[in-house]
Amino acid sequence: MRVFDTHAHYDSGAFNADRMEVLASMPEQGVDLILNPGCDLETSRTAVELAEQFPFVYAAVGVHPSDCGEWTDQWLEQLRSLVAHPKVRAIGEIGLDYYWKDNPPRPLQQTVFRRQMELAQDLGLPVIIHDREAHQDCLSIVRDYPQVRGVYHCYSGSLEDAKVLVKLGWMLSFTGVITYKNARKALEVIDWLPMDRIMIETDSPYLTPEPFRGKRNDSGKVHLVAETIARVKGVQADEVARITLENGKRFFQI
Ligand code: NI
């Protein structure tokens, strides 16, 4: 099985001891491609550096809603200069996160999200969306930028919203969360979702799939996400791996 892990954070401190070895081992573990999104300016820079060092790693640059507290519009210029690198293929991850109480205030999160949607529109790049407990506001901002296409990473919304997003031409991506016992809602979405709209990801080092839940995640475990989708859809896991790899290549223009 050859797979594309469309969302993994190898810039994370969780990989400080063995980052290069872990990444170097990915081709022999069946991982053909990895997309590393940034969460702030520093991790966006690191994502680009990793993409320079490994031919199978690509980058996205952006400011995550949890990390937007110090935002100034000057950050847009820094993101713009990072985007000039040929291996940067998206703006992300960006969006809204109303889950954590100490996150930046909602109006600021919304402004920063809008600025980066405008940047994506300007540059003709897709976006990677983080939406946690903010489904309604997130979708309403997405609707305000009809020229921008994107992916909802670790999709946690309803089937109704999924239908709206598919109609808008968007993709949905799934993590190891779908292997957990309480994943009923996401499995319903997957059951309905057309195969050409699905991408798979680990969100490494987080969201480790069963049976490894609790350990550090890495792209070598993304096949477990493909296997769960295959069971829901009643198809072979190889088929899910192949189609999601093609979907990811098309989406990120690789
Ligand atoms: Ni992430």
Side-chain angles (χ1 to χ4, degrees):
M1 189 190 294
R2 310 300 305 180
V3 291
F4 184 173
D5 182 359
T6 61
H7 192 117
H9 300 279
Y10 286 101
D11 54 82
S12 162
F15 293 107
N16 280 353
D18 57 358
R19 180 173 293 110
M20 294 301 146
E21 295 91 310
V22 172
L23 277 168
S25 75
M26 285 307 152
E28 72 207 32
Q29 294 195 60
V31 180
D32 272 8
L33 290 164
I34 295 169
L35 191 295
N36 192 125
C39 289
D40 55 22
L41 292 175
E42 193 188 332
T43 53
S44 293
R45 269 183 223 112
T46 308
V48 174
E49 283 164 23
L50 291 170
E52 273 176 347
Q53 290 171 67
F54 294 92
F56 52 87
V57 175
Y58 287 78
V61 299
V63 177
H64 187 287
S66 299
D67 299 305
C68 74
E70 313 283 306
W71 173 271
T72 71
D73 281 345
Q74 199 248 325
W75 288 19
L76 277 178
E77 295 319 306
Q78 304 205 40
L79 290 174
R80 243 177 220 284
S81 69
L82 286 169
V83 166
H85 193 283
K87 291 194 83 179
V88 175
R89 296 304 168 90
I91 301 296
E93 57 183 284
I94 63 175
L96 302 173
D97 191 321
Y98 296 169
Y99 176 76
W100 300 104
K101 276 200 188 70
D102 55 354
N103 262 359
R106 294 179 182 190
L108 176 60
Q109 290 189 35
Q110 292 162 12
T111 302
V112 172
F113 184 17
R114 286 183 181 281
R115 290 286 165 277
Q116 295 182 96
M117 288 293 280
E118 285 154 16
L119 178 67
Q121 183 174 283
D122 263 19
L123 297 165
L125 281 175
V127 295
I128 302 166
I129 299 289
H130 172 101
D131 164 18
R132 191 161 186 198
E133 316 256 315
H135 303 324
Q136 215 182 336
D137 288 356
C138 199
L139 187 57
S140 105
I141 291 176
V142 161
R143 281 180 184 282
D144 283 345
Y145 300 89
Q147 290 158 270
V148 178
R149 293 285 172 275
V151 57
Y152 267 59
H153 118 84
C154 193
Y155 185 71
S156 61
S158 65
L159 180 57
E160 290 70 30
D161 285 357
K163 289 179 175 173
V164 172
L165 287 164
V166 163
K167 219 171 189 172
L168 292 171
W170 281 55
M171 310 284 291
L172 306 184
S173 174
F174 298 91
T175 62
V177 166
I178 67 170
T179 69
Y180 302 166
K181 271 209 177 77
N182 57 359
R184 190 185 51 82
K185 198 168 73 166
L187 299 185
E188 260 174 44
V189 172
I190 289 166
D191 190 32
W192 171 82
L193 194 59
M195 276 301 296
D196 67 345
R197 298 309 182 86
I198 304 179
M199 299 203 293
I200 57 173
E201 56 166 304
T202 55
D203 203 20
S204 294
Y206 316 108
L207 307 182
T208 312
E210 294 288 5
F212 302 106
R213 195 172 181 182
K215 301 209 172 84
R216 183 183 73 177
N217 205 359
D218 66 73
S219 304
K221 298 180 179 68
V222 77
H223 67 94
L224 295 163
V225 180
E227 283 162 17
T228 303
I229 293 172
R231 268 199 302 281
V232 174
K233 292 259 184 222
V235 299
Q236 295 294 315
D238 281 345
E239 172 92 343
V240 173
R242 184 181 62 75
I243 295 174
T244 54
L245 177 67
E246 286 311 313
N247 291 347
K249 285 170 78 170
R250 190 177 65 243
F251 182 80
F252 292 113
Q253 295 198 18
I254 293 170

